Amino acid sequence: MASVTLSGITKSFGDTQVIKGVDIAIGDGEFAVFVGPSGCGKSTLLRMIAGLDAPTAGEIRIGETVVNDLPPKQREVSMVFQTYALYPHMTVRQNMGFGLMIAGTAADAIAARVAGAARMLGLDALLDRLPRQLSGGQRQRVAMGRAMVRDPKVFLFDEPLSNLDAKLRVQMRTEIRALHQRLGTTSIYVTHDQVEAMTMADRIVVLRDGRVEQVGTPVALYDQPGNAFVATFIGSPAMNLLPARLQDGQAVLAGGSRLALPAPAAAHDGREVLLGLRPEHLRVQAGGGLRAEVKVVEFSGADTLLACEAAGHAVQVLVHDRTAVAPGDAVELAIDPARMHLFDAGTQQRLP
Ligand code: ADP
Ligand code: MG
C-alpha cells in the first residue's frame, strides 16, 4: 500500500495541452474516484500514474518514491481496463497467472496466488474456462483477479464497469468496494458516471477540461459544491440553476417570483447570482414563492419527477409522495433557505 501524489502535472499531445496543471494527493489505503465528462483527461492521468504515458511536466510519487522515470513494472501498480484485455486463447487460470509467470515467479507461488484471488472473486469453478465462455461480469472479475495476484501497492481502474449492463454494474460496484475493504489497497477509480463516483468513493476528484474542479468526500461535494459545474455534475437528477438578483434578503427571479434567502446571503445584496435548487429539496406548496407550470409528470414508483417551467427555465422537482399534480397545472415551489446554493453569476463560484 502507498499514497499517490501528483504535483504540477501537465500533459500535451503535440500542441494540445490536455492536462493543465493538476495537484492531487491520495492517501495510503484510500479509495479515490476521478470523475468528469468524457475527454476531460481521466485516462491520461491514470496512464501517467501507471507509467504508460509520461507527463510533460510535474512529479508523480508513489509512497515516498518519485516514479517519473520508473517503467510500469517497477511501479507496483495494477491497472484494470474497461475492455478487460484478457488473452482469448488462455484459460482464466493462465490469464490470471500470466503476469507473474513473465515476472519469473515460481509455479507453486503463482498457483497459490491465483487460487487465493479466485476464491475471493468467486471464480474457483471457472478457472479452466476460456474468456469467450464467460459472461461480461465474469470476465471483468478475471481482469480484477489478474490485477490482484500481483499484490500491487495501488489499484488503478479505468471505467471497469462501463461495458456491463445496469444491474450488474450496481452489483460489481458493491463487490469492488467490499474487496477494497478487505484488501485495504490504495485505489484510484476513473469513471464518467457521477452516481458510481458518489456510491464508491472515499474521496472524489472532479475533473473538467484537464483541471481539478473540486476534491472532497461525496457528502461534501453534494452539500457544498464549490462552483456551478460541480453543483450540476454531482447529484441526480441534476441541481436546477436559475439566474436571480439578491435584494432585501430575497432572491428575485425572472417573472417576479421571490424566494427567501439564507441569512448569510445578506452580505451579497444587489449581486447577480445563479440560484442552485436541488430537485429533491423543492416542494410543491401554495405560497411557496417560485411560480411554476408543470409540463410533464414522470412517475417511477418510489418517487415522481415533475418537469416544470419556472422563471423562464426548466426546473425539475422530485416528489417522494404520490402527487395529484398534472401537466398544465400552475403551482408554487418552496425550498428551505438553508438548502439553497448561491453562485456568482459571473465567476460561477460558490458564495459563502
Ligand atoms: P477521458 O478518459 O477523461 O475521457 P482522455 O484522458 O482519454 O479523457 O483524453 C483527454 C484528451 O486527450 C482528449 O481530448 C483526447 O482526445 C486527448 N488524447 C488522449 N490520448 C491522446 C493521444 N494519444 N494523442 C492525442 N490526443 C490524445
Ligand atoms: Mg477515459
Side-chain angles (χ1 to χ4, degrees):
M1 290 205 295
S3 58
V4 177
T5 314
L6 309 182
S7 314
I9 298 293
T10 67
K11 175 70 180 175
S12 299
F13 292 107
D15 291 340
T16 314
Q17 191 177 51
V18 299
I19 303 294
K20 301 173 179 172
V22 162
D23 299 281
I24 303 170
I26 294 151
D28 191 2
E30 192 170 19
F31 196 104
V33 176
F34 293 180
V35 67
S38 177
C40 71
K42 304 179 296 292
S43 295
T44 304
L45 279 176
L46 214 57
R47 291 173 57 81
M48 290 193 286
I49 297 167
L52 303 173
D53 264 328
T56 305
E59 189 180 87
I60 301 172
R61 271 182 292 148
I62 297 178
E64 299 305 312
T65 313
V66 175
V67 298
N68 286 54
D69 295 325
L70 286 186
K73 276 195 196 105
Q74 289 175 28
R75 296 191 184 196
E76 297 181 71
V77 304
S78 282
M79 193 147 160
V80 180
F81 298 92
Q82 176 178 348
T83 52
Y84 321 136
L86 301 178
Y87 299 107
H89 57 287
M90 289 187 195
T91 63
V92 168
R93 189 192 308 279
Q94 289 166 334
N95 264 289
M96 284 171 67
F98 187 67
L100 293 175
M101 196 182 85
I102 294 295
T105 309
D108 54 346
I110 297 177
R113 287 214 230 159
V114 168
R119 201 174 317 120
M120 219 179 271
L121 291 164
L123 292 170
D124 315 67
L126 308 175
L127 282 170
D128 295 312
R129 290 211 196 159
L130 293 170
R132 66 178 154 79
Q133 297 167 315
L134 302 175
S135 69
Q138 290 166 337
R139 279 179 218 173
Q140 190 50 273
R141 262 188 217 115
V142 176
M144 291 203 298
R146 189 177 47 183
M148 279 166 61
V149 295
R150 298 178 47 209
D151 194 19
K153 285 184 181 161
V154 181
F155 281 119
L156 305 174
F157 297 94
D158 194 352
E159 312 230 12
L161 307 184
S162 297
N163 285 355
L164 304 179
D165 65 52
K167 192 172 166 199
L168 196 54
R169 215 155 48 218
V170 172
Q171 185 188 327
M172 291 292 285
R173 257 172 15 203
T174 315
E175 282 190 27
I176 292 175
R177 272 304 311 199
L179 208 58
H180 177 258
Q181 273 158 22
R182 286 181 66 177
L183 300 174
T185 310
T186 310
S187 300
I188 305 176
Y189 186 105
V190 158
T191 178
H192 65 275
D193 178 348
Q194 63 86 22
V195 176
E196 218 166 273
M198 289 292 275
T199 51
M200 295 182 77
D202 293 327
R203 222 149 47 102
I204 298 177
V205 178
V206 182
L207 295 159
R208 175 168 65 152
D209 194 19
R211 289 195 177 85
V212 174
E213 289 281 321
Q214 192 172 357
V215 180
T217 62
V219 171
L221 293 191
Y222 178 84
D223 286 348
Q224 306 262 314
N227 57 47
F229 174 78
V230 176
T232 51
F233 192 73
I234 298 288
S236 178
M239 186 189 283
N240 302 294
L241 284 183
L242 297 174
R245 188 162 36 83
L246 304 188
Q247 193 182 307
D248 306 325
Q250 292 185 315
V252 182
L253 294 101
S257 283
R258 286 167 177 263
L259 285 169
L261 289 168
H268 304 294
D269 211 51
R271 189 152 356 187
E272 301 289 336
V273 300
L274 291 172
L275 214 52
L277 312 172
R278 291 208 182 274
E280 57 274 35
H281 295 156
L282 283 166
R283 298 184 309 273
V284 176
Q285 185 181 305
L290 180 57
R291 289 194 295 276
E293 185 188 334
V294 178
K295 297 286 187 186
V296 179
V297 177
E298 285 178 14
F299 174 70
S300 65
D303 37 44
T304 302
L305 190 66
L306 309 179
C308 305
E309 190 181 301
H313 287 76
V315 170
Q316 293 190 305
V317 181
L318 194 66
V319 185
H320 298 300
D321 301 318
R322 296 293 165 96
T323 175
V325 166
D329 284 0
V331 295
E332 283 199 48
L333 304 175
I335 189 165
D336 174 354
R339 296 192 128 160
M340 256 182 204
H341 302 262
L342 299 178
F343 305 96
D344 184 273
T347 65
Q348 311 256 305
Q349 296 300 304
R350 180 183 194 84
L351 296 179

